[in-house]
Amino acid sequence: MSLIKFIELNQRGDERGYLTVIEAQNNIPFNIKRVYFLTSLSPDLPRGFHAHKELEQLAVCLVGSCKVMLDNGKVKEWVTLDSPSKALRIEPRIWHEMHDFSKDCVFLVVASDFYDETDYIRDYQLFLEQAKQ
Ligand code: TYD
């Protein structure tokens, strides 16, 4: 099964523009405790390079585009995010990296829990060892 799992967000559009909703336990499968977003990104400065132990996240490129690499310790898969209606699931224990941000990229993340550095696995060798268990 692919590591790339999208949730399609329904865009309510009319002549005034689009309204797109992310609603906890309705069109996404977890409660939202935190929202953060990345702006003023550089094409040559990738981000991420970690996995989470428990955290569930969804990533949406609201403006522009970027490439995301997901890795479960066995396979790596790449996907381009370039639509505000496509939310990419970043599940626990998936190493993720964001690359090739367009200059205008606005990258939104909704998360199932508060920021907790102890939930991070930032060492790739440790991630690989834990992925084998
Ligand atoms: P970092 O983990 O380096 O970001 P990325 O995964 O995009 O590469 O986070 C940058 C800084 O922001 C770091 O000092 C941790 C801090 N931070 C918070 O304080 N709260 C948060 O919710 C997040 C995601 C990061």
Side-chain angles (χ1 to χ4, degrees), residues 34 36 38 46-50 96 98 115 117 120 122:
R34 179 164 51 108
Y36 60 94
L38 307 174
R47 303 190 62 127
F49 295 87
H50 60 257
H96 50 284
M98 294 85 82
Y115 174 70
E117 189 59 39
Y120 280 71
R122 291 192 186 270

Side-chain angles (χ1 to χ4, degrees), residues 5 7 13-14 24 30 36 40 51 54 67 87 92 104 112 117 131:
K5 296 174 192 165
I7 293 177
D14 57 32
F30 57 82
Y36 60 94
S40 300
E54 308 271 349
K67 294 197 178 87
D104 59 348
S112 65
E117 189 59 39

Side-chain angles (χ1 to χ4, degrees), residues 33-91:
K33 283 199 181 162
R34 179 164 51 108
V35 174
Y36 60 94
F37 48 90
L38 307 174
T39 55
S40 300
L41 297 158
S42 294
D44 48 357
L45 294 176
R47 303 190 62 127
F49 295 87
H50 60 257
H52 288 281
K53 296 173 189 167
E54 308 271 349
L55 192 71
E56 289 269 2
Q57 298 192 102
L58 272 182
V60 188
C61 202
L62 296 181
V63 180
S65 65
C66 72
K67 294 197 178 87
V68 180
M69 195 277 284
L70 300 180
D71 175 355
N72 67 358
K74 296 190 186 82
V75 290
K76 297 179 190 211
E77 291 186 37
W78 285 85
V79 63
T80 299
L81 292 195
D82 58 3
S83 165
S85 68
K86 288 179 116 187
L88 180 69
R89 291 193 68 173
I90 302 176
E91 294 177 301

